[in-house]
Amino acid sequence: MPRTARKKDKNRPHHIMSRSIPELNLFTCNEDKEYYLSLMKTAAQVYRITIIAYCLMDNHTHLMVHPYGGNISKFMKNINNIYAKYYNRTYDRRGHLYEGRFKNIIIKDEVQLLRTSTYIHNNPKSLLYQGYKSIEDYPYSSIKDFLKPSQGRGLANPALVFEYMSGEGAKVRNHYRVLLELQSQGHEAFEKELEEAFKKGGYKSDKEPVVREVAPEKVLSVLAKLIDQDEVELTTCKYSHKAKEYKSLAAICLRIFSDMTTTELGAIFKGYTSSSISYLSRVGYDLMEEKQLYIKMVQALSL
């Protein structure tokens, strides 16, 4: 029987959950969690998806992300598949690690946005017996990015949540802390505070979705013009510094704007493995940031 098609919306946030099979923990040590966070960071860069909030528990994960036009299935595959291979290699095992596909819920309004965010950050309250003083002390959620940004990892961006809450800076962070405490107690006041936490108006975001699924030929043509590089076959440009730069930028641009996987790129980058293309993408991402090419590519491809 065919699987039910996943419900997705490229212009709304998603709450994403992944869980390990019952007999295994997804993470056996802190090093596992650190590696998973590194995969999240890389995937968010490659697919230009914004991580709003997250929490890694021993046997499951919670992420709240906004795809801004991106493909959450490819985003999660780039995290979970690579992590499963790492886990099996590290712990000398075979077979499935995850209990089926990841689950996702589309965030439909501002109330659900805040409710989901506080729910995610309250998950570690069950771990306080392990020695953590409070949920703010748990190092594998985005709580510090929300409440103590100078101490956070910078992996999560709370702006989408905070822009709908009254106040700014320390005021909005303190208000969010109150909501966390009220929800954790199951307090009736939480619902009242929730109603007052947002400005009036419907849910929307003024950030434009990233243009996706552009023909690879167009992406490469635009890129070549922007970096003043003669457009050449990627299979033949090999040795010069300029050629290496072009190839690295081409890898990341094709992944972002043509929504191509490393496997699909293997047909273009002859002789490169998926891991080699992933490396090129990381180099290309840094070059794109250095040259401030991302916005230029978006503008050129949107014309």
Side-chain angles (χ1 to χ4, degrees), residues 274-292:
S274 290
S275 59
S276 297
I277 294 172
S278 292
Y279 171 75
L280 278 178
S281 299
R282 291 194 294 272
V283 173
Y285 178 84
D286 291 338
L287 282 170
M288 179 179 283
E289 294 297 295
E290 177 187 322
K291 295 176 178 293
Q292 299 182 326

Side-chain angles (χ1 to χ4, degrees), residues 48 219 222-229 242 245-246 248-250 252-253 256-257 283-301:
R48 289 282 169 170
V219 171
V222 168
L223 173 63
K225 290 177 182 176
L226 288 177
I227 64 172
D228 194 25
Q229 161 79 45
K242 190 73 174 177
E245 180 179 281
Y246 173 64
S248 299
L249 286 167
I252 188 64
C253 284
I256 293 173
F257 300 111
V283 173
Y285 178 84
D286 291 338
L287 282 170
M288 179 179 283
E289 294 297 295
E290 177 187 322
K291 295 176 178 293
Q292 299 182 326
L293 270 175
Y294 175 70
I295 296 300
K296 295 176 183 177
M297 286 291 297
V298 170
Q299 292 172 340
L301 293 170

Side-chain angles (χ1 to χ4, degrees), residues 35-296:
Y35 183 64
Y36 194 90
L37 290 176
S38 73
L39 294 177
M40 285 168 48
K41 180 179 179 179
T42 299
Q45 291 174 343
V46 167
Y47 293 100
R48 289 282 169 170
I49 283 176
T50 296
I51 297 172
I52 302 170
Y54 66 84
C55 183
L56 309 187
M57 302 296 284
D58 287 348
N59 65 350
H60 67 282
T61 65
H62 290 278
L63 281 76
M64 186 160 69
V65 305
H66 198 311
Y68 290 114
N71 188 319
I72 63 166
S73 292
K74 289 185 177 181
F75 168 74
M76 288 305 299
K77 181 179 179 181
N78 209 56
I79 299 170
N80 284 352
N81 283 16
I82 294 175
Y83 181 76
K85 290 177 183 178
Y86 153 85
Y87 187 97
N88 284 350
R89 182 175 64 251
T90 301
Y91 298 106
D92 192 25
R93 68 175 296 275
R94 296 181 179 181
H96 295 293
L97 174 61
Y98 294 99
E99 187 180 60
R101 299 188 295 171
F102 70 86
K103 297 177 174 62
N104 69 295
I105 298 171
I106 299 170
I107 307 296
K108 296 181 179 179
D109 55 42
E110 65 270 21
V111 171
Q112 188 180 1
L113 182 75
L114 184 52
R115 192 191 302 276
T116 301
S117 169
T118 52
Y119 167 78
I120 288 172
H121 287 138
N122 267 316
N123 253 246
K125 65 183 180 182
S126 62
L127 299 177
L128 298 184
Y129 71 91
Q130 294 184 9
Y132 297 111
K133 296 178 182 177
S134 71
I135 58 171
E136 293 183 39
D137 193 39
Y138 184 63
Y140 297 106
S141 84
S142 51
I143 189 72
K144 283 189 169 65
D145 285 334
F146 275 68
L147 300 181
K148 300 176 181 178
S150 63
Q151 299 177 27
R153 296 173 183 266
L155 180 56
N157 184 352
L160 189 61
V161 173
F162 285 173
E163 73 177 81
Y164 292 101
M165 293 178 66
S166 57
E168 57 186 31
K171 181 178 179 180
V172 75
R173 289 195 292 273
N174 288 334
H175 193 180
Y176 188 80
R177 184 180 278 108
V178 170
L179 287 169
L180 282 167
E181 180 62 24
L182 289 173
Q183 190 199 48
S184 70
Q185 296 175 3
H187 203 291
E188 292 180 4
F190 176 74
E191 295 301 326
K192 183 177 180 181
E193 284 288 324
L194 194 60
E195 291 177 8
E196 297 176 356
F198 288 98
K199 301 174 184 177
K200 293 181 179 179
Y203 175 86
K204 62 184 179 65
S205 172
D206 57 4
K207 184 174 177 181
E208 290 296 320
V210 179
V211 58
R212 314 278 183 164
E213 300 179 1
V214 180
E217 297 80 11
K218 183 176 180 180
V219 171
L220 295 177
S221 175
V222 168
L223 173 63
K225 290 177 182 176
L226 288 177
I227 64 172
D228 194 25
Q229 161 79 45
D230 291 334
E231 192 175 349
V232 295
E233 288 291 331
L234 290 172
T235 54
T236 60
C237 71
K238 294 181 180 179
Y239 303 110
S240 72
H241 174 75
K242 190 73 174 177
K244 182 178 179 181
E245 180 179 281
Y246 173 64
K247 184 170 281 191
S248 299
L249 286 167
I252 188 64
C253 284
L254 288 171
R255 294 187 74 180
I256 293 173
F257 300 111
S258 296
D259 211 12
M260 297 181 73
T261 65
T262 54
T263 301
E264 291 167 339
L265 286 173
I268 298 177
F269 292 79
K270 300 294 186 183
Y272 279 75
T273 63
S274 290
S275 59
S276 297
I277 294 172
S278 292
Y279 171 75
L280 278 178
S281 299
R282 291 194 294 272
V283 173
Y285 178 84
D286 291 338
L287 282 170
M288 179 179 283
E289 294 297 295
E290 177 187 322
K291 295 176 178 293
Q292 299 182 326
L293 270 175
Y294 175 70
I295 296 300
K296 295 176 183 177

